[in-house]
Amino acid sequence: MTIVINLSPELEEQLRQKAALDGQDINVVAANLLANILKWEAQDSEEAIKGIQQGLDDFEAGNSRSFNEFADEQRRKYNLPA
């Protein structure tokens, strides 16, 4: 598949430099970078969803505290003024 992406001159130069340093074709470098960022983004989203679900599960199980309790703990922990 062919996709055309317009890059700023600065970004294009960075991509060209990376390809030259890696000794790879610029298209391969661009494809690898995109694949890596898409994989990272999917993992990041999955971890965020798991964290949110864990928080919801904890709340439903009664494992929660008020904001005031949390704030008091942070003030004590970091010696912050009331």
Side-chain angles (χ1 to χ4, degrees):
M1 173 192 294
T2 300
I3 296 176
V4 177
I5 300 174
N6 295 314
L7 304 174
S8 69
E10 297 82 12
L11 188 55
E12 181 180 351
E13 182 56 28
Q14 287 180 333
L15 188 58
R16 289 189 184 283
Q17 287 177 2
K18 178 161 179 51
L21 287 172
D22 293 352
Q24 293 184 324
D25 180 83
I26 194 169
N27 294 306
V28 171
V29 172
N32 287 338
L33 289 169
L34 285 170
N36 288 337
I37 194 67
L38 290 171
K39 181 180 176 183
W40 173 84
E41 184 180 40
Q43 289 173 340
D44 187 55
S45 293
E46 184 178 323
E47 290 172 9
I49 290 168
K50 284 180 183 177
I52 292 167
Q53 187 60 56
Q54 181 64 51
L56 292 172
D57 293 345
D58 286 345
F59 183 77
E60 287 180 12
N63 300 327
S64 62
R65 59 188 168 159
S66 73
F67 173 78
N68 288 337
E69 290 171 323
F70 169 77
D72 288 342
E73 178 186 306
Q74 295 304 303
R75 281 191 205 93
R76 285 191 305 277
K77 184 176 181 178
Y78 295 107
N79 197 27
L80 300 172

